[in-house]
Amino acid sequence: MPESTSSARGKTVASLAANAFGVLDSQPSSFVNISRASSAQLRKLLGLPAKVAARIVALRKKGQLTCLAELRAVPGLQHRAFKSVWNKVFFDRDGSLRIRDVTAARRFIWSGKPFALRVDFGNASDSPVVVVSVIARWTGEPFVVEHEIGPDESRKGQAEIEFDAERTLPVGPAEFCIALYRADGAQASFRRTFFVLPSNPLSLSLSPAGAMVTGTWSARGAYVGSSDTFSTQLGFTIANGDGSAVTMNRRLESGAFDLSGSMNVPAHGTLPGNIVFTSPNGSGVYNKYHGKEDMTLEIALTATDGRRITASITCRVMLAYGINIIKVGDFDAQEGVDLYTAVDLTRQVYEKRDITFREVRRWIIHNADAGSYTVINSEDEFRDLLEDWSVQNDYVDVFVAQSFSWSTYNGYAGDIPGPASKGGRKDGVAVDKTSYTDASGVKRLNISVLGPLIGHEVGHYLGLSHLEETNNLMRANTGDRGQIIKYDQYRTMFPHGFMVFE
C-alpha cells in the first residue's frame, strides 16, 4: 500500500507455541483411575496432600471408595480441592470416556506436508471405543477425517489419525474438533488449535482484526465519522519453522512505519501482533473505500539475516441496510420468537457476503387494524398494503403476513430494485410467515424457510434478480433455495440508496 498520507501504529504481543496456539482450546487432563492409582500418583497427578492420598488408598482397600459421592466425603478433601479433581478421575467400570490430550504425532504440523494427530483417551467401560472423527477448520472450507479404532488402539487408549497428501494445510492457524465414539453410544470431545508452520521455513500471514468483515476473511475498512477517516485493523503472525530463533527488523517495507516491541520469533514458534492503518479524507485508501471498491493490502518484513517475507489480504468496507419487520396481524408468543430467529438467519446469510444490518426495528399491525391484509390475495392487495402502512424511514419495510393465497407466491417485492424513498406502491416487500403447529400443539414458524425467504425478497428490493443456481439465495424455486450470495450479486446491491457504511 504505497500510501504516504495514511498513518499506522502496530505492536507485537507474546509469542505463542505453534503446537498450543488456541487460548480457548481444551486443556489436557491426566484422567486418573482412582480405583488403582497409588498414593504417589494421586499426589503427583492430582496435587492431593499426602494425608488425603493415603486416606483414599485406605478407603479403597476397604471397598468404601467406588464413586464421586464417596470421594467427596473423604476426610480432609476440601471443597476447592474436590472441584479441581472431580473431572480428572474415573473409577473402574463407571462408564467414563475422556480425551486426555490431542497432539501432533510429529510434534508440529508443516505446510504442504502430510501429518497425523495423536489422540490419547481413557475409557472406563468394557464397551470399546470404535471411531474418532476430526473436523478441521482453517482458512478454506472445513473438512472431516474419520478413523476406525481397532481393538488394540481401544485397549491402549491411543489412536493416530492420518492426514494424507490431499489433506495438507497451508501456513496459518488450524483448529481441530475431535469427537470420540464408543460402541455403546458414549461420546467425548476435545478442541486443539495448531499453527501450521512454514516448510520454507519463515512466513508472514495476515488476518482481519478488530471490527473485521464477517464471512469472507477480508479486512474491514471501518468508517469513523467523527474524524472522517477509515480505519483498517490487521492481525499478523510471523511463523518460524526453523530450529533456531529469528530476529526481524521492526520497519514495514511498504511505508515508514515501525512496529513497537521486540521482533524475536522463537524456534518452531510464532509471533503475533496487530497493525492499525488510519486513512483520512483525500488519501488513496480513503477514496477506494468511499467508492466501495475492493483493494489488496500487502505487508513486507525483513529478517536481520536478510530474508524477506510478504503477505497480502483483501480489504473492503462493510455495508449495511436497515429493515422494518412489520407483523401483519397478531402472532403467538412462540411465533414471535421464531420470527426474529429467522431474521437473525437472514442477517447471517448477508454477513457471509460482507453486508450486515444497521438495525432491525419491530412493528405490528394488530388484527383489529390489519383487516384483510393479514392474507395477501393479489398484487393489488399487496400494493395497497405498502401504500397504507409504509414506515417513513430509510429502512426496507418487510411485511410478514399470516399467509399468501395468491397463486404460488410466498413472498413478493415492490420492485427490482425498490425505491430509496417511501410513500408509494413499491416501497416494501411481503412474505408468508410460514406457520405450522408442532407435535405439542404449539404454533411455530418454519425458520429455515422464512430466514432465506426474507433475504430473497429483500435481495430483490436491493436490486437482485432471480438466479437459477443451486443453493443461491435468489433462486426462484423456494424448495431449492439456498443461502449463497455471489460476489457479483454483492456488488449489484452497492448502489442502492438504503446502503450505508457500517
Side-chain angles (χ1 to χ4, degrees):
M1 185 183 69
E3 165 68 30
S4 61
T5 55
S6 289
S7 60
R9 63 183 189 277
K11 65 178 181 179
T12 58
V13 296
S15 60
L16 295 172
N19 53 5
F21 196 74
V23 295
L24 299 178
D25 285 354
S26 303
Q27 294 301 306
S29 170
S30 52
F31 195 49
V32 178
N33 185 345
I34 207 163
S35 300
R36 302 184 184 185
S38 67
S39 177
Q41 289 174 321
L42 294 174
R43 295 197 306 273
K44 178 180 179 181
L45 299 177
L46 298 178
L48 294 177
K51 289 183 179 180
V52 173
R55 288 187 186 121
I56 288 174
V57 173
L59 290 169
R60 190 177 66 201
K61 289 179 179 178
K62 297 177 182 179
Q64 297 176 358
L65 190 65
T66 59
C67 64
L68 284 174
E70 292 174 348
L71 176 64
R72 177 68 187 89
V74 171
L77 184 61
Q78 297 180 354
H79 178 67
R80 180 179 298 177
F82 175 75
K83 285 181 64 177
S84 69
V85 305
W86 74 269
N87 63 342
K88 300 177 183 178
V89 303
F90 67 98
F91 298 83
D92 279 344
R93 294 180 177 79
D94 71 355
S96 298
L97 177 64
R98 306 270 181 86
I99 296 178
R100 293 191 179 102
D101 200 4
V102 175
T103 57
R106 290 174 283 279
R107 191 181 176 193
F108 299 105
I109 300 175
W110 306 92
S111 64
K113 294 184 178 181
F115 62 95
L117 295 182
R118 181 177 294 128
V119 179
D120 290 287
F121 57 90
N123 178 26
S125 170
D126 292 332
S127 181
V129 178
V130 291
V131 172
V132 59
S133 175
V134 180
I135 302 174
R137 296 190 174 97
W138 53 297
T139 54
E141 288 294 324
F143 61 88
V144 177
V145 174
E146 292 188 340
H147 171 79
E148 185 175 343
I149 295 180
D152 290 342
E153 290 177 313
S154 182
R155 283 191 295 272
K156 185 180 178 182
Q158 187 177 92
E160 286 196 7
I161 300 89
E162 297 286 341
F163 290 71
D164 59 22
E166 295 183 356
R167 298 296 191 186
T168 63
L169 297 171
V171 174
E175 177 188 277
F176 299 93
C177 296
I178 299 94
L180 201 63
Y181 299 93
R182 204 163 61 194
D184 62 1
Q187 177 184 346
S189 59
F190 199 92
R191 181 173 72 178
R192 170 55 60 86
T193 303
F194 296 85
F195 195 95
V196 180
L197 290 172
S199 300
N200 67 349
L202 189 66
S203 77
L204 173 67
S205 59
L206 300 177
S207 63
M212 62 174 283
V213 169
T214 305
T216 57
W217 202 247
S218 53
R220 174 183 174 185
Y223 182 68
V224 183
S226 59
S227 58
D228 193 20
T229 59
F230 280 97
S231 176
T232 308
Q233 186 172 349
L234 303 177
F236 69 85
T237 303
I238 305 170
N240 179 18
D242 208 344
S244 58
V246 175
T247 302
M248 305 296 300
N249 294 321
R250 286 168 47 184
R251 175 160 296 215
L252 305 184
E253 287 188 14
S254 55
F257 310 138
D258 283 345
L259 296 170
S260 63
S262 60
M263 294 277 282
N264 298 311
V265 191
H268 295 144
T270 63
L271 182 67
N274 62 72
I275 306 171
V276 180
F277 291 92
T278 300
S279 304
N281 192 335
S283 65
V285 170
Y286 180 100
N287 294 339
K288 285 281 188 182
Y289 280 144
H290 195 266
K292 302 175 183 176
E293 297 181 50
D294 295 350
M295 62 180 173
T296 299
L297 188 149
E298 182 178 88
I299 299 293
L301 290 169
T302 304
T304 54
D305 61 13
R307 283 181 289 175
R308 183 176 183 270
I309 52 177
T310 64
S312 61
I313 189 170
T314 299
C315 302
R316 56 172 60 107
V317 292
M318 174 76 97
L319 295 177
Y321 64 90
I323 59 173
N324 298 305
I325 295 296
I326 309 164
K327 299 176 184 176
V328 185
D330 295 324
F331 283 54
D332 285 2
Q334 185 59 53
E335 289 182 315
V337 172
D338 289 347
L339 171 59
Y340 288 102
T341 302
V343 171
D344 192 57
L345 175 57
T346 305
R347 177 189 58 78
Q348 293 173 38
V349 170
Y350 275 85
E351 286 190 348
K352 290 176 184 176
R353 186 44 80 183
D354 304 333
I355 296 174
T356 190
F357 287 166
R358 295 170 63 186
E359 184 183 5
V360 177
R361 295 186 179 176
R362 305 182 181 197
W363 310 83
I364 184 169
I365 309 171
H366 290 290
N367 285 335
D369 300 314
S372 64
Y373 290 144
T374 56
V375 179
I376 305 298
N377 293 291
S378 67
E379 181 172 350
D380 282 343
E381 189 168 35
F382 162 73
R383 297 198 181 279
D384 290 343
L385 171 64
L386 302 187
E387 191 171 36
D388 289 348
W389 290 98
S390 175
V391 179
Q392 296 304 304
N393 59 17
D394 57 350
Y395 288 17
V396 181
D397 290 349
V398 179
F399 294 89
V400 186
Q402 300 295 316
S403 67
F404 266 60
S405 295
W406 165 23
S407 185
T408 59
Y409 295 120
N410 64 350
Y412 206 77
D415 206 353
I416 306 174
S421 60
K422 298 291 184 69
R425 294 174 62 80
K426 297 182 178 181
D427 57 348
V429 306
V431 297
D432 185 316
K433 74 176 184 180
T434 69
S435 62
Y436 70 97
T437 302
D438 68 15
S440 301
V442 178
K443 291 183 179 180
R444 302 294 303 270
L445 305 186
N446 192 331
I447 294 166
S448 62
V449 171
L450 183 56
L453 172 59
I454 293 172
H456 177 95
E457 299 306 334
V458 169
H460 281 318
Y461 198 92
L462 297 175
L464 301 184
S465 299
H466 284 146
L467 181 62
E468 297 308 319
E469 290 188 2
T470 303
N471 294 325
N472 195 275
L473 181 69
M474 298 312 296
R475 191 165 185 176
N477 189 328
T478 59
D480 294 326
R481 182 177 300 144
Q483 300 182 17
I484 292 175
I485 300 173
K486 296 176 62 177
Y487 180 79
D488 58 347
Q489 292 175 306
Y490 155 78
R491 300 291 306 181
T492 297
M493 292 183 280
F494 277 16
H496 197 279
F498 285 171
M499 280 287 187
V500 299
F501 295 118
E502 172 61 14

